[in-house]
Amino acid sequence: MSRTVNLIISRVLLHRRISVMSTYSCSTSGKFLCNDPKYDFLQDLGIEKCNNGVYNGKWSGNGKVVTSICPANGQPIAEIRQGTLSDYEECVKAAQEAWKVWADIPAPKRGEIVRQIGDALRNKLIPLGKLVSLEMGKIYAEGVGEVQEYIDICDYAVGLSRMFSGSIIPSERPGHVLLEQWNPLGVVGLITAFNFPIAVYGWNSAIAMVCGNTLLWKGATSTSLVTLATTKIVASVLEKNSLPGGICSMICGGPPVGEAIVTDQRIPLVSFTGSTQVGHQVGMKVQDRFGRSLLELGGNNAIIVGPDADLEMVAQSVVFACVGTAGQRCTTTRRLILHSQVYDNVLTRMKKSFEQVMSRMGDPLDPNTLYGPLHTKAAVGEYQDTINEIKKLGGKIEFGGEVCEGEGFFVKPTIVSGLPHDSPVVHKETFAPIVYVLKANSVDEAIAWNNEVKQGLSSSLFTNDLATLFKWIGPKGSDCGIVNVNIPTSGAEIGGAFGGEKETGGGRESGSDSWKQYMRRSTITINYSPILTLAQGIKFE
């Protein structure tokens, strides 16, 4: 081989090495918000300019470097070095080894660790809430409220650690006892979405931990800093108690990492929060290996306003339900079904309220802000595409329908009228602040419209009529998992199971008996007599 050819090959290999290094190394220049004194709360959370995105008892990361962007101004916040499939393998092994320790700890003692996590979160409530606002884009009150939700579920889980129990069932055979016992599953995989980057992890992790499971968490790529900061807080508690960090493993990564979690037979339960389209694929792949999936997917939520409703209460409820989190809650109200007798009145009030909200649009970190940006530039494009579709179908833009000028990913909250209840765009969930106002001639008709969409998460009815109320919550009422009366569709208390029916996935998280999804049930029969007795009186002699 000639010296010239060798030189060419050497240059090619050098170029490839440089390319790999530039892909997987953090940048050495550029302006990042983490270095701006205005955002010094990031230092309180241990966020640096370049951050390792893998934790399994130690921090690492050998994957590509991604940049977190602030949706309010489009500026870079900091960088995260993601994990590779090799890093993923280390996380799974660490979680499995940690389970051997964690499962042997009595449930009330596991609850004590979760209590300490709640206290650690209290100490970081404000800076962590600010990070949610900075990176996700929800307003300050919602950012802090999301951290508070994790704290609250920790309190709930502490009590649960002393309460979940099995059963003693009467046996038909003399000298026998029939028992039911619940045991942990092992490693639980958590894949969470950008819109609630802390709370959904909190719902799952606190309950799963007191049940005796270890965790492997993959948060949304676009909110990786929240994932990192939350894990640092949890890890500090584990380390203080000399417990394996693998109890709460975490890996930042793209689709290959998510695919690995979904298809891994070592992970008996995968909890996934995201779109119906992706959730369907997750459910099928987990089922294909006979695993369990807990799915929290799309919502096309409706508020029904009856002719006897308190319209002042309706006016207050509708605004937050439609524009809170800039329409990026899975429980956001997307359809407002108004009885013909109150249609004009409610629509007029809505437009005035939306105008007032626009006067308080701005930086989510400003406590006076009521309305923030969409999460990404891509979300703005989806908003624009939907507005164009609405116009082509003959819908009337009563308010909004425009992208706001200036920096950041801001759009105007939008009210649409003039479309039929079964219009394709009305039946499609658009993750943006767009609400379709529909006119119904009766509450029965409105209930039918509520139920005709493929999703079944949240629903609300405003009425003062008892007969209507009980019909709404009964078998011929709402077919959603969350059925409200005289409150909006968004927002849920931790004590009740959260989740929906149909294409929402059927999963339940947080309160009630949702803890059972994180455990396996054993039916146990013990013969303490000297005689072998078969069930159903069978004689085999």
Side-chain angles (χ1 to χ4, degrees):
M1 190 179 293
S2 69
R3 184 171 180 275
T4 303
V5 172
N6 278 325
L7 182 60
I8 292 173
I9 292 175
S10 298
R11 288 175 176 173
V12 169
L13 291 175
L14 178 61
H15 173 73
R16 286 179 178 173
R17 237 181 345 257
I18 292 172
S19 297
V20 169
M21 291 175 61
S22 64
T23 301
Y24 298 102
S25 300
C26 293
S27 61
T28 57
S29 61
K31 185 177 180 181
F32 289 83
L33 297 184
C34 63
N35 295 325
D36 188 331
K38 178 181 177 182
Y39 307 105
D40 58 3
F41 60 86
L42 294 173
Q43 298 176 9
D44 294 339
L45 298 169
I47 300 298
E48 303 173 343
K49 179 177 170 293
C50 185
N51 305 272
N52 284 325
V54 179
Y55 178 77
N56 52 32
K58 63 182 185 296
W59 289 92
S60 63
N62 296 291
K64 70 177 182 179
V65 173
V66 296
T67 303
S68 177
I69 301 297
C70 173
N73 54 34
Q75 299 298 311
I77 304 171
E79 295 176 324
I80 305 96
R81 188 182 291 106
Q82 295 184 323
T84 62
L85 290 180
S86 178
D87 293 324
Y88 167 81
E89 186 65 24
E90 291 300 313
C91 285
V92 175
K93 290 178 179 178
Q96 286 183 305
E97 286 301 309
W99 184 81
K100 296 176 183 177
V101 175
W102 188 243
D104 281 341
I105 297 174
K109 298 297 184 182
R110 296 194 296 257
E112 165 59 19
I113 301 302
V114 172
R115 185 196 65 78
Q116 292 181 34
I117 292 173
D119 283 349
L121 289 163
R122 284 183 177 91
N123 293 333
K124 299 292 186 181
L125 175 64
I126 300 305
L128 192 54
K130 286 182 176 180
L131 176 57
V132 174
S133 295
L134 180 69
E135 189 176 36
M136 187 274 151
K138 60 178 58 176
I139 63 173
Y140 174 77
E142 289 187 83
V144 172
E146 187 173 338
V147 183
Q148 185 63 51
E149 192 164 1
Y150 189 178
I151 294 169
D152 292 345
I153 200 67
C154 283
D155 289 346
Y156 179 93
V158 173
L160 180 64
S161 71
R162 293 182 179 270
M163 294 173 63
F164 62 78
S165 59
S167 305
I168 299 178
I169 303 166
S171 174
E172 67 184 51
R173 289 173 280 183
H176 288 61
V177 63
L178 192 58
L179 306 175
E180 186 175 82
Q181 180 165 313
W182 295 86
N183 288 303
L185 291 169
V187 181
V188 173
L190 308 178
I191 303 175
T192 60
F194 75 87
N195 59 331
F196 280 89
I198 287 179
V200 174
Y201 175 69
W203 287 352
N204 283 272
S205 64
I207 303 297
M209 287 179 72
V210 297
C211 288
N213 300 292
T214 56
L215 310 167
L216 176 52
W217 180 24
K218 177 194 174 308
T221 302
S222 58
T223 51
S224 291
L225 295 178
V226 173
T227 303
L228 290 173
T230 303
T231 300
K232 286 178 181 288
I233 293 169
V234 173
S236 69
V237 173
L238 297 176
E239 292 165 5
K240 184 178 70 174
N241 287 275
S242 301
L243 288 168
I247 292 170
C248 294
S249 293
M250 179 277 297
I251 181 167
C252 295
V257 172
E259 177 82 10
I261 293 174
V262 169
T263 57
D264 197 331
Q265 291 190 354
R266 296 169 295 179
I267 299 179
L269 172 65
V270 176
S271 176
F272 173 83
T273 302
S275 69
T276 294
Q277 180 183 5
V278 177
H280 179 262
Q281 298 172 9
V282 169
M284 294 290 285
K285 289 181 179 180
V286 174
Q287 174 60 39
D288 190 54
R289 61 176 176 86
F290 291 101
R292 296 190 197 178
S293 60
L294 198 169
L295 304 175
E296 296 289 355
L297 311 177
N300 195 341
N301 316 295
I303 288 179
I304 296 173
V305 181
D308 57 335
D310 181 334
L311 298 187
E312 184 61 34
M313 187 180 293
V314 170
Q316 295 174 18
S317 299
V318 165
V319 181
F320 179 69
C322 295
V323 308
T325 326
Q328 297 168 112
R329 287 175 173 243
C330 51
T331 54
T332 293
T333 298
R334 310 207 181 276
R335 296 175 297 146
L336 190 59
I337 307 173
L338 307 175
H339 192 281
S340 56
Q341 294 179 22
V342 299
Y343 181 90
D344 292 334
N345 190 325
V346 173
L347 181 56
T348 299
R349 286 174 179 244
M350 281 184 66
K351 289 191 282 188
K352 290 180 179 178
S353 296
F354 275 44
E355 190 68 57
Q356 293 172 350
V357 167
M358 283 298 298
S359 67
R360 296 178 66 179
M361 178 183 75
D363 182 358
L365 284 170
D366 184 341
N368 292 317
T369 297
L370 281 182
Y371 178 68
L374 290 178
H375 183 54
T376 62
K377 188 175 182 179
V380 175
E382 291 175 9
Y383 168 87
Q384 290 176 304
D385 291 343
T386 302
I387 295 300
N388 292 333
E389 185 179 358
I390 288 166
K391 292 177 178 178
K392 288 179 181 178
L393 292 171
K396 179 183 178 182
I397 305 296
E398 297 280 357
F399 186 92
E402 300 173 358
V403 176
C404 300
E405 296 181 357
E407 62 181 12
F409 310 132
F410 291 87
V411 301
K412 290 185 178 181
T414 302
I415 302 170
V416 178
S417 67
L419 289 175
H421 64 92
D422 56 355
S423 174
V425 73
V426 174
H427 278 214
K428 179 182 71 173
E429 180 191 28
T430 301
F431 226 54
I434 301 173
V435 59
Y436 302 98
V437 182
L438 310 171
K439 184 187 292 186
N441 294 317
S442 69
V443 173
D444 285 345
E445 184 177 55
I447 292 175
W449 293 357
N450 174 79
N451 295 347
E452 70 183 4
V453 298
K454 293 181 179 180
Q455 308 88 346
L457 180 52
S458 186
S459 57
S460 298
L461 169 67
F462 282 79
T463 183
N464 286 315
D465 180 74
L466 282 177
T468 301
L469 185 159
F470 281 101
K471 181 172 185 177
W472 172 244
I473 66 174
K476 294 184 178 179
S478 171
D479 65 357
C480 295
I482 299 172
V483 183
N484 295 330
V485 179
N486 294 333
I487 61 170
T489 57
S490 54
E493 297 184 26
I494 64 166
F498 180 90
E501 302 299 323
K502 302 186 292 188
E503 289 194 0
T504 301
R508 292 295 186 276
E509 296 171 326
S510 191
S512 187
D513 65 347
S514 62
W515 59 269
K516 293 180 179 179
Q517 295 184 97
Y518 303 92
M519 304 190 86
R520 58 179 177 82
R521 185 193 328 232
S522 300
T523 300
I524 305 161
T525 306
I526 301 173
N527 178 10
Y528 58 89
S529 76
I531 301 170
L532 177 63
T533 306
L534 300 179
Q536 291 83 48
I538 295 174
K539 301 293 184 181
F540 195 74
E541 298 174 346

